[in-house]
Amino acid sequence: MSTLWIGIAVLTLVALACVFWPLVRHQQLAKSEATQRQQQNIDIFRERLAELESEREQGTLAAEEFATLKLELERNLLIDAEDVPMQSAPLVRVGQTQLVTVTLLALMIPAAALGLYNHLGRADDLALALNAPASQGSQGEQMSLEQAIAGLERELATNPDNAQGWYLLANTYMSMGNYAGGAEAFRELLQVLPQDAPQYASVMGQLAQALYFAGETQMTDEVRTQIDATLSIDPTEIAALGLLGIDAFEKQDFNAAIEHWNKALAGAEGQAAESLRSGIERARAELEARGEPVPDIEIEQAALAEVKLQVSLSAELAERAQPDQVVFIYARPIGGRMPLAAARYTVSDLPVEVILDDSMAMMPQARLSLHDQVEVGARISLSGQPQASSGDFESRPLQVSTRQGDEAVTLIIDQVVQ
């Protein structure tokens, strides 16, 4: 399963590079041309000044005429120098707006997709498909992503009521840049998903996103109609409001962009919330730069899901531990065994302060932010393996809040595993 997530991440980065590179390259060329023009002006100035000095030394040019011509040369050089940044400034302006738009889209779409996938997705089924026995394909080889997609398409052809399958296919198409295919898969999903399902509005919003990308990031009538239909079901749907904010920002209607994004922020979390906050701050900065009134709104700052731990080793066990032995520090669901987040250190690092958060998640479907309370602990593994074994040293497990603030929880490794 990790192969798919890595593939999605790589494809997202490639797509961003394809969009960003022409913008960056365009600005670099513009700057290079401006620098070349300026250097050419300086070279011409020096060459002409040398000619005047030569004429003055030969006596063919009077001192008064020399001073007048030199002053004229210097004035022309200053005028040329002022013209260069004026010509290049609009290019920088356009580039900044485009970078904001693409960045917001790039962050919001994967975040929204992952959020819905936690409720609707079937990661286990795909993992089984990707690791199917070799007899189903070439001998001794795993199925490729293309083969898995082809198999999923065949399955959906015979079982079109499989909502999980349509959702998985739609998001796979989106990650591959096949936005038209993603839009069609989302449409099929909406045909089989009950309208009273909690995920229905989110799928409607993702269909709007797919149509927006398929139309080369243009707010077409079809996209706007889909957004209106989505908001009629859920006025706070993040994807739809995000698109409205991006469209307003592109039109330099920064007040409208702030309004849409701030409304979406109420129901956002994680990376989606961060991208919305970033967009709001960017729109506020644009208003300030124009000298226009800035809306006095309080941007919601959702509490971050993280656990701060202060881990130390008791004096008694410190005499029995070796500096290079591995220390595992983890947070897991209460009553569960699979860690939601974990960090690895050595005994020589103790005492150490650790912050566990969603960036350390073992799987996208198992994150700290999905739990209000977790169980934390620390263990020195004599074998170097994550699994506990007899003779390991460990702390007492504690139940803590995932939104505890700045206060650190103290864990003391003072017990021996029996």
Side-chain angles (χ1 to χ4, degrees):
M1 187 60 198
S2 60
T3 303
L4 175 62
W5 296 114
I6 293 173
I8 291 174
V10 171
L11 288 170
T12 301
L13 291 176
V14 171
L16 282 174
C18 291
V19 176
F20 282 147
W21 175 247
L23 295 173
V24 175
R25 181 60 178 165
H26 185 59
Q27 291 188 3
Q28 289 177 341
L29 289 175
K31 292 179 180 179
S32 177
E33 291 175 0
T35 302
Q36 291 176 4
R37 288 197 302 271
Q38 193 171 40
Q39 186 61 47
Q40 288 174 357
N41 291 335
I42 293 173
D43 291 341
I44 293 173
F45 168 80
R46 290 174 177 172
E47 181 180 351
R48 181 57 182 150
L49 181 59
E51 291 176 356
L52 292 177
E53 289 176 344
S54 176
E55 292 177 6
R56 184 187 59 178
E57 292 174 358
Q58 294 174 4
T60 59
L61 186 64
E64 183 178 349
E65 292 177 337
F66 172 81
T68 301
L69 293 175
K70 181 181 178 182
L71 180 61
E72 185 65 24
L73 281 176
E74 292 173 344
R75 184 182 297 111
N76 291 337
L77 179 62
L78 288 174
I79 293 174
D80 292 338
E82 291 174 355
D83 285 343
V84 171
M86 288 176 63
Q87 294 170 2
S88 59
L91 294 174
V92 176
R93 181 74 173 181
V94 173
Q96 289 177 343
T97 301
Q98 296 300 326
L99 289 176
V100 171
T101 300
V102 176
T103 301
L104 286 169
L105 285 169
L107 292 176
M108 288 173 59
I109 291 176
L114 287 176
L116 184 57
Y117 191 56
N118 287 329
H119 300 285
L120 192 59
R122 293 291 297 275
D124 295 338
D125 289 350
L126 182 61
L128 291 174
L130 291 174
N131 297 278
S135 59
Q136 296 181 9
S138 56
Q139 186 69 25
E141 295 182 356
Q142 290 184 342
M143 294 175 64
S144 68
L145 180 58
E146 290 77 10
Q147 289 174 315
I149 293 174
L152 181 57
E153 290 173 338
R154 289 193 296 271
E155 164 63 22
L156 291 172
T158 57
N159 184 18
D161 295 333
N162 186 345
Q164 294 89 350
W166 283 119
Y167 185 76
L168 179 58
L169 182 63
N171 279 280
T172 304
Y173 277 151
M174 293 291 289
S175 69
M176 296 173 65
N178 182 3
Y179 305 122
E184 186 59 33
F186 280 128
R187 285 195 179 96
E188 294 291 341
L189 172 57
L190 290 172
Q191 294 297 319
V192 299
L193 190 66
Q195 292 191 13
D196 58 353
Q199 304 90 355
Y200 193 86
S202 294
V203 175
M204 291 277 286
Q206 290 189 77
L207 173 56
Q209 286 180 331
L211 294 172
Y212 185 78
F213 273 94
E216 299 181 355
T217 64
Q218 296 294 323
M219 184 60 72
T220 63
D221 292 340
E222 184 181 19
V223 175
R224 192 169 294 280
T225 299
Q226 183 62 33
I227 290 175
D228 292 342
T230 302
L231 296 179
S232 68
I233 299 174
D234 182 2
T236 62
E237 205 285 313
I238 298 173
L241 290 171
L243 288 175
L244 289 178
I246 290 171
D247 181 56
F249 190 94
E250 283 285 286
K251 295 177 179 178
Q252 300 188 5
D253 186 355
F254 302 116
N255 283 291
I258 291 173
E259 181 181 354
H260 292 310
W261 287 336
N262 195 50
K263 189 175 182 180
L265 186 58
E269 63 180 18
Q271 191 60 62
E274 288 302 315
S275 64
L276 287 168
R277 293 190 189 99
S278 176
I280 292 172
E281 292 296 347
R282 185 70 180 87
R284 288 168 64 91
E286 289 286 349
L287 289 174
E288 289 179 357
R290 292 166 174 249
E292 299 179 11
V294 179
D296 186 16
I297 62 172
E298 182 176 353
I299 301 177
E300 178 184 348
Q301 297 289 337
L304 296 176
E306 62 180 24
V307 176
K308 296 181 180 180
L309 303 173
Q310 183 71 43
V311 183
S312 60
L313 178 60
S314 69
E316 179 183 352
L317 293 183
E319 299 177 355
R320 301 167 56 183
Q322 301 299 318
D324 59 348
Q325 288 177 327
V326 178
V327 181
F328 292 103
I329 304 170
Y330 58 86
R332 62 191 180 192
I334 297 175
R337 299 182 61 184
M338 176 65 69
L340 299 168
R344 175 174 173 153
Y345 292 88
T346 62
V347 172
S348 61
D349 296 321
L350 300 177
V352 64
E353 185 171 291
V354 182
I355 298 179
L356 302 179
D357 55 30
D358 281 349
S359 66
M360 302 176 182
M362 304 292 103
M363 297 183 297
Q365 301 93 337
R367 294 176 286 132
L368 278 175
S369 58
L370 300 178
H371 300 264
D372 294 328
Q373 296 279 330
V374 293
E375 183 179 271
V376 297
R379 183 175 65 255
I380 297 176
S381 174
L382 303 185
S383 64
Q385 299 301 316
Q387 295 79 13
S389 59
S390 178
D392 287 351
F393 306 150
E394 66 179 2
S395 67
R396 298 177 184 273
L398 297 177
Q399 294 184 11
V400 301
S401 170
T402 58
R403 292 166 176 82
Q404 63 190 30
D406 295 330
E407 183 180 356
V409 175
T410 300
L411 289 178
I412 301 176
I413 301 175
D414 57 0
Q415 302 185 67
V416 178
V417 178
Q418 301 300 323

